[in-house]
């Protein structure tokens, strides 16, 4: 697990293109999440954790930083590059000096002169008409999610992944302080359920956390304690990448596509919100649809809403 020290291999003190030899590769950063910026600000070493078509995950101590290509969305622990990704291998070592991520052979990713983005959840006030529209249209958009039945009346929701624990979690999540422990217990049993790098229920919980944008402070504070408890319990129950997203959600930080939905819901009319939700549901195999399902379920769980199908 300990990465190699490769400062001597890099052999450069500056990553500017003019100072690199002909075989060096310098990758520029277009945008930087605040969590990634904090993790990369200290000197140290690390290794490549995993590689994918549009992202490379770097292990810095016990935390991840994701390099993503230019077309990809930014998220709190991501570094979005101006172009494509460097050709890296799992286990490959790197060093950090606060200014760049340096790999052997002169390859580096420069970090200077890029302001970190915090990507914080806003507060959103929904009118009754937009709330009704959101719940009606949103259900159609998330049909590809295996958790979509959680948006139906309780008798049908038990058919979803996780059996009856999903509906039980949502009922307890919607209740008062006395049901907080029950919500956490049900949610912990659902962590890691589903396929993929970020399992379905983990994406769902990220969406539920995003829905706290709609609720008053006291209610949001109680519900966020449940989300924070789930993030803490995720170690050993789900993937490392999924744990990172849950930890960010517990701190009120989300990816740009999730925040785009919240921002669009604050705008006049419904067209911007519809476009933002369509974009979100297009992410991954079902990750975006699972997140939107969680957002809609979290919205329904607010005891301020009349006609909540979970009651």
């Amino acid at each position: 697990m300990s990465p190699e020290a490769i400062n001597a291999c890099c052999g450069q003190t500056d990553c500017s293109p003019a100072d690199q030899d002909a075989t060096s590769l310098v990758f520029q950063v277009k945008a930087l999440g605040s969590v990634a910026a904090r993790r990369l600000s200290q000197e140290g070493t690390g290794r490549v954790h995993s590689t994918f078509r549009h992202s490379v995950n770097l292990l810095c101590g016990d935390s991840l930083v994701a390099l993503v290509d230019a077309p990809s969305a930014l998220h709190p622990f991501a570094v979005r590059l101006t172009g494509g990704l460097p050709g890296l291998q799992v286990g490959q070592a790197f060093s950090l000096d606060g200014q760049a991520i340096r790999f052997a052979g002169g390859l580096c990713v420069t970090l200077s002169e890029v302001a970190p983005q915090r990507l914080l959840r806003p507060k959103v006030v929904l009118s009754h008409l937009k709330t009704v529209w959101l719940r009606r249209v949103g259900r159609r958009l998330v049909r590809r999610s295996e958790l979509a039945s959680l948006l139906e009346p309780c008798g049908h929701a038990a058919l979803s992944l996780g059996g009856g624990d999903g509906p039980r979690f949502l009922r307890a999540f919607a209740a008062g302080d006395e049901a907080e422990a029950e919500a956490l217990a049900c949610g912990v049993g659902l962590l890691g359920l589903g396929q993929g790098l970020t399992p379905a229920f983990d994406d769902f919980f990220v969406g539920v956390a995003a829905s706290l944008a709609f609720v008053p402070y006291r209610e949001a504070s109680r519900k966020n304690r449940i989300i924070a408890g789930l993030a803490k319990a995720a170690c050993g129950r789900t993937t490392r990448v999924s744990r990172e997203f849950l930890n960010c959600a517990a701190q009120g930080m989300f990816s740009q596509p999730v925040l785009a939905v919240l921002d669009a819901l604050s705008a006049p009319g419904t067209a911007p919100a519809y476009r933002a939700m369509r974009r979100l549901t297009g992410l991954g195999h079902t990750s975006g649809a699972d997140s939107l399902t969680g957002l809609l379920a979290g919205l329904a769980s607010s005891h301020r809403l009349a006609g909540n199908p979970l009651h």
Side-chain angles (χ1 to χ4, degrees):
M1 294 295 291
S2 298
E4 300 174 25
I6 62 167
N7 292 335
C9 295
C10 294
Q12 299 284 345
T13 57
D14 186 5
C15 270
S16 62
D19 293 332
Q20 300 294 310
D21 62 35
T23 62
S24 298
L25 292 174
V26 179
F27 290 78
Q28 304 293 334
V29 174
K30 183 176 183 179
L32 181 65
S34 60
V35 174
R38 183 174 69 251
R39 292 173 178 175
L40 297 173
S41 64
Q42 303 297 319
E43 294 185 0
T45 59
R47 63 178 177 83
V48 176
H49 173 268
S50 50
T51 63
F52 301 92
R53 181 179 179 184
H54 296 289
S55 66
V56 174
N57 294 311
L58 308 179
L59 188 61
C60 304
D62 292 328
S63 303
L64 290 184
V65 169
L67 302 180
V68 299
D69 60 11
S72 299
L74 188 68
H75 56 72
F77 60 98
V79 177
R80 186 166 66 190
L81 306 180
T82 56
L85 294 169
L88 300 171
Q89 302 295 320
V90 173
Q92 188 170 342
F94 62 86
S95 65
L96 301 170
D97 59 14
Q99 299 297 314
I101 309 169
R102 304 178 189 275
F103 300 87
L107 187 154
C108 68
V109 177
T110 62
L111 301 171
S112 58
E113 300 181 0
V114 179
Q117 299 182 35
R118 296 194 68 191
L119 304 174
L120 289 172
R121 176 184 60 221
K123 292 302 293 183
V124 180
V125 178
L126 291 179
S127 67
H128 176 70
L129 286 177
K130 184 168 280 190
T131 299
V132 172
W133 172 85
L134 174 60
R135 292 169 63 185
R136 175 173 51 84
V137 174
R139 287 182 183 182
R140 295 204 301 265
L141 291 175
V142 301
R143 286 175 180 170
R144 61 197 294 254
S145 168
E146 58 186 326
L147 305 180
S149 61
L150 286 171
L151 301 178
E152 302 300 327
C154 293
H156 300 288
L159 301 176
S160 67
L161 179 70
D165 282 347
R168 281 193 290 271
F169 166 80
L170 289 172
R171 287 195 295 272
F173 192 73
D177 293 350
E178 67 280 0
E180 188 173 322
E182 181 184 359
L184 180 58
C186 289
V188 167
L190 298 169
L191 288 168
L193 291 186
Q195 301 298 314
L197 186 64
T198 55
F201 258 110
D202 298 352
D203 291 323
F204 176 86
F205 288 137
V206 169
V208 170
S211 75
L212 301 187
F214 306 121
V215 302
Y217 174 79
R218 186 181 181 282
E219 183 183 349
S221 178
R222 175 182 66 80
K223 290 181 173 180
N224 199 69
R225 288 197 300 269
I226 298 170
I227 300 299
L230 293 175
K232 184 177 181 180
C235 184
R237 290 182 169 89
T238 189
T239 67
R240 186 183 291 270
V241 173
S242 201
R243 282 164 43 198
E244 296 285 0
F245 279 111
L246 287 167
N247 282 324
C248 289
Q251 300 173 63
M253 295 184 289
F254 300 87
S255 68
Q256 286 179 328
V258 172
L259 294 178
V261 171
L262 297 178
D263 290 338
L265 288 168
S266 298
T270 58
Y274 182 78
R275 290 193 295 268
M277 288 192 295
R278 283 287 301 271
R279 286 193 293 270
L280 177 58
T281 57
L283 291 180
H285 182 58
T286 61
S287 285
D290 295 333
S291 294
L292 183 57
T293 302
L295 189 150
L296 296 170
L299 173 64
S301 79
S302 172
H303 50 65
R304 296 180 304 146
L305 297 178
N308 189 335
L310 301 177
H311 295 287

